[in-house]
Amino acid sequence: MAEITKAVRGTRDLLPPETALWNHVDRVVREIFRTYNFQEIRTPIFEETELFARSVGEETDIVSKEMYTFDDGVPAETLIRDVWLSCHAPEIAGRLRFNERLINEPYRQGPHEIGFNAFWNGRWTVVRPRYPVTSVDIRQIELYANEWRKERQEELSELGPIAPRLLVVTAQNGLTPEIAELAKSRAIEIESLSIADFEPPQSLTLRPENTAGVVRAYIEHNLWQRGLNKLYYIGPQFRRERPQKGRYRQFYQIGAEVIGPATAGSESPARDAEILELLAALLDKLGIKDWQLQLNSIGCADDRARYNEALGIALQPVKGQMCSDCQRRAAVNPLRIFDCKVPADQPIIEQLPRITQFLDEPCRRHFDEVQKILQALGVRFELNERLVRGLDYYTRTAFEFTHGALGAQNAILGGGRYDGLSQALGGPPAPGIGFAIGEDRLVMALGKSAEEVLERPEVYIAPLGPGMNKECARLARELRGHDIVVELGDESFRLKKSLETASKLGAKYVLIAGENELSTGVFGLKNLSTGKQQAVPRDHLLHTIRGQNGL
């Protein structure tokens, strides 16, 4: 028996009746967005990898560890390898070994050839095709050569010098002067091939979040001409992170972005307050009680630069006592130390300076005004000076909604302001604010079962006897044309089986349709909740089912 193929680890199938909960959430979300005058945007499920490297931040875990990235087309390395082999075939004389190692490279994760080994011009050579050549490639070919040499000492001693030649092969425009100098200093040879019509494939990434794609669309389609854009999206995102409760590698987000020129009001604290009030209204309408809104300001870029400097100084004497993640964060992005959940690190983190101490006057006024509007609206919140956002593009207002039902990882949603993101992506100044809700975790927080929101059929049509399927299909079409939910049985079923099936489905009525009913035009309509049955003329069926002449 063939092995059963299962869903990939970290993904899952959403099945009925659970999907009824998801449809319920989507319906309520769309209603809320409509009342706040948001419009839907749908962006591609994958984008150029560079978009996320520039927007999310090269040092974030998302970009460096979690993205699903692939080359669109024949990998450049494969083409370079084939051209090099064809050029040097006589010299190699059939002595060639391809390795089977795998490597994960920054922004280009997945299986890539490290290189191959060839006995070339009387000497073993480690060849690495790369485009473009980076400092990482120089380090990796050295590491691989050392490992490879250790594994084949006996073989190498018979065939040639034990120190192999190291050769990086690239195509035109694949090498900068700085990298060429680095290679020379490490005794690594570079061969640059001239390949006709050479065009490296695009590096593409399944979107790990949606804000970058929305801002890219804003720039590409000149959406600033519309003034203030209030956009929302619902759809899947992808991150290769450790699966845990409510977190999956393919997960679903509901999000919104308010973005536009400052002259359209996009920079106003009123926009921040409106977003937060919308989210409070959404959670209330979904029946999620006892949520907590955590609020902070992380200032502008200048504030963050001053704060990061002060934070770095404060961390210098204590970072060695912290977890390995915090030690890495202290070097590349100190602000993210506040994301740490390791209990032993908390006393140290509590003593660190807070970013609110470094806000300039405009940022302080902006944050104060957001709070005043929320208080006027009756939206409760708590100030949390430890709250930061994990993505590099955030500025000023940062927020998070949490709920106790989700355990230690209790965040339902988060977001904040990103006033400089458009410019970072090559667009015009466009202050913005947005949020993303993890729909998987939102559904968990509902506290409802699928049975509570599942829409049951109003009518189950029970065909009785041969030839009734055709006539009952016409009857079902007629009722469905009036938006009545109909489940259609089969003429092969006995009446008892039809009644049992209708009861399992939760249907309100069973419409009995046999040869006698069709000839007289009068049908038996049984109310399954009361057990009562009555004869109903065909032209009265609609009114009776809708309850105007109920049983």
Side-chain angles (χ1 to χ4, degrees):
M1 182 176 177
E3 185 177 349
I4 297 174
T5 302
K6 297 181 179 180
V8 176
R9 181 173 180 265
T11 67
R12 60 170 176 165
D13 300 305
L14 294 172
L15 307 173
E18 184 186 3
T19 45
L21 278 174
W22 289 70
N23 290 332
H24 168 69
V25 169
D26 288 352
R27 184 167 54 252
V28 172
V29 163
R30 291 179 186 278
E31 289 172 359
I32 288 287
F33 280 134
R34 181 178 56 81
T35 60
Y36 284 78
N37 196 35
F38 278 73
Q39 296 175 302
E40 186 175 12
I41 183 171
R42 301 188 184 189
T43 60
I45 209 166
F46 54 84
E47 300 272 2
E48 288 192 34
T49 304
E50 182 67 13
L51 174 67
F52 301 113
R54 291 170 64 187
S55 62
V56 176
E58 296 185 2
E59 299 296 343
T60 60
D61 286 349
I62 293 175
V63 170
S64 63
K65 299 179 181 179
E66 298 173 359
M67 297 201 311
Y68 286 97
T69 297
F70 58 95
D71 285 331
D72 184 27
V74 177
E77 290 75 15
T78 301
L79 178 60
I80 292 169
R81 180 200 67 190
D82 292 346
V83 171
W84 189 88
L85 290 174
S86 66
C87 291
H88 297 288
E91 306 154 35
I92 294 170
R95 290 188 173 182
L96 182 69
R97 286 179 174 81
F98 289 90
N99 73 76
E100 297 177 352
R101 297 176 182 272
L102 301 179
I103 184 167
N104 285 330
E105 301 181 55
Y107 324 131
R108 305 184 66 179
Q109 295 179 9
H112 286 270
E113 267 184 9
I114 292 178
F116 54 90
N117 316 314
F119 193 68
W120 176 43
N121 282 346
R123 185 176 177 184
W124 277 104
T125 303
V126 176
V127 186
R128 177 161 171 74
R130 293 303 295 146
Y131 187 92
V133 183
T134 68
S135 59
V136 174
D137 300 319
I138 301 301
R139 290 195 299 270
Q140 285 173 340
I141 193 172
E142 290 179 315
L143 292 172
Y144 171 66
N146 289 335
E147 292 179 11
W148 179 79
R149 184 175 55 194
K150 290 175 184 176
E151 293 172 1
R152 295 173 173 80
Q153 284 187 8
E154 184 177 344
E155 181 182 16
L156 287 170
S157 63
E158 297 175 2
L159 295 173
I162 199 166
R165 174 192 286 118
L166 305 183
L167 175 66
V168 175
V169 185
T170 188
Q172 59 264 35
N173 303 319
L175 183 70
T176 65
E178 293 79 13
I179 298 299
E181 188 63 31
L182 176 63
K184 183 179 179 181
S185 69
R186 303 287 186 88
I188 296 172
E189 300 176 35
I190 301 285
E191 182 175 348
S192 185
L193 303 175
S194 180
I195 303 176
D197 301 320
F198 176 74
E199 184 177 343
Q202 278 187 302
S203 178
L204 304 178
T205 293
L206 296 178
R207 61 189 186 198
E209 58 89 41
N210 222 46
T211 298
V214 171
V215 177
R216 190 266 313 148
Y218 172 86
I219 297 168
E220 182 176 344
H221 300 289
N222 304 328
L223 294 185
W224 58 83
Q225 296 175 355
R226 293 161 38 105
L228 188 68
N229 292 265
K230 299 170 73 173
L231 308 169
Y232 78 89
Y233 56 85
I234 302 174
Q237 322 292 325
F238 305 85
R239 294 184 193 175
R240 192 182 184 279
E241 55 184 351
R242 184 172 62 85
Q244 54 183 296
K245 183 180 179 181
R247 294 189 185 276
Y248 300 90
R249 292 180 173 182
Q250 176 178 317
F251 58 99
Y252 297 86
Q253 280 189 345
I254 300 162
E257 317 293 343
V258 178
I259 185 171
T263 54
S266 59
E267 200 170 15
S268 169
R271 300 285 72 80
D272 305 41
E274 183 183 39
I275 282 281
L276 294 167
E277 194 261 329
L278 177 154
L279 288 167
L282 172 60
L283 296 178
D284 287 343
K285 190 164 186 177
L286 285 170
I288 297 175
K289 308 296 183 184
D290 301 323
W291 49 261
Q292 292 88 39
L293 167 58
Q294 307 284 324
L295 196 61
N296 194 21
S297 175
I298 55 177
C300 61
D302 291 340
D303 298 339
R304 291 178 71 169
R306 290 194 301 273
Y307 179 58
N308 275 330
E309 182 179 358
L311 198 55
I313 294 171
L315 285 167
Q316 191 61 38
V318 296
K319 63 183 181 182
Q321 305 168 33
M322 304 182 78
C323 68
S324 58
D325 278 344
C326 281
Q327 292 180 37
R328 177 178 58 82
R329 290 164 179 162
V332 300
N333 189 351
L335 194 63
R336 296 199 61 242
I337 278 181
F338 291 99
D339 290 338
C340 180
K341 299 295 190 294
V342 176
D345 290 345
Q346 301 313 304
I348 297 175
I349 293 172
E350 283 299 325
Q351 299 302 315
L352 295 175
R354 299 294 192 250
I355 195 167
T356 49
Q357 300 170 279
F358 294 82
L359 299 183
D360 63 18
E361 191 55 33
C363 289
R364 193 175 302 280
R365 286 200 305 268
H366 186 279
F367 191 43
D368 288 344
E369 185 63 21
V370 172
Q371 296 176 62
K372 289 176 183 177
I373 298 173
L374 290 177
Q375 289 165 351
L377 292 169
V379 177
R380 64 186 187 276
F381 62 89
E382 297 176 7
L383 297 181
N384 181 356
E385 293 183 324
R386 285 186 52 170
L387 176 64
V388 296
R389 306 309 307 154
L391 308 185
D392 283 358
Y393 52 64
Y394 281 110
T395 58
R396 289 190 169 177
T397 305
F399 59 87
E400 195 169 78
F401 281 78
T402 61
H403 191 267
L406 297 176
Q409 300 290 330
N410 60 357
I412 303 175
L413 65 96
R417 181 166 280 281
Y418 48 86
D419 291 346
L421 181 55
S422 175
Q423 289 167 282
L425 296 179
I433 183 170
F435 66 84
I437 303 173
E439 192 168 5
D440 304 78
R441 295 174 67 77
L442 182 63
V443 170
M444 284 173 55
L446 282 180
K448 292 183 178 180
S449 69
E451 300 298 323
E452 295 178 67
V453 298
L454 186 63
E455 294 185 5
R456 306 289 185 176
E458 295 174 82
V459 180
Y460 180 95
I461 298 179
L464 296 182
M468 290 299 103
N469 277 350
K470 178 181 67 175
E471 299 301 329
C472 287
R474 292 175 180 171
L475 188 56
R477 180 179 175 84
E478 181 181 324
L479 294 174
R480 288 166 177 160
H482 293 281
D483 293 326
I484 292 176
V485 181
V486 176
E487 179 65 28
L488 186 58
D490 191 84
E491 63 186 28
S492 64
F493 295 174
R494 294 180 177 275
L495 180 58
K496 181 181 178 182
K497 181 176 180 178
S498 291
L499 291 171
E500 289 174 349
T501 303
S503 181
K504 286 181 181 178
L505 292 172
K508 184 176 182 181
Y509 297 113
V510 173
L511 181 61
I512 300 168
E515 187 174 344
N516 289 339
E517 285 78 9
L518 286 169
S519 63
T520 62
V522 179
F523 295 83
L525 189 66
K526 185 179 182 69
N527 186 320
L528 291 181
S529 61
T530 65
K532 295 181 180 179
Q533 180 175 325
Q534 74 178 62
V536 181
R538 184 165 187 155
D539 56 0
H540 289 175
L541 280 174
L542 180 61
H543 296 289
T544 304
I545 291 167
R546 285 299 191 206
Q548 297 182 22
N549 296 306
L551 297 180

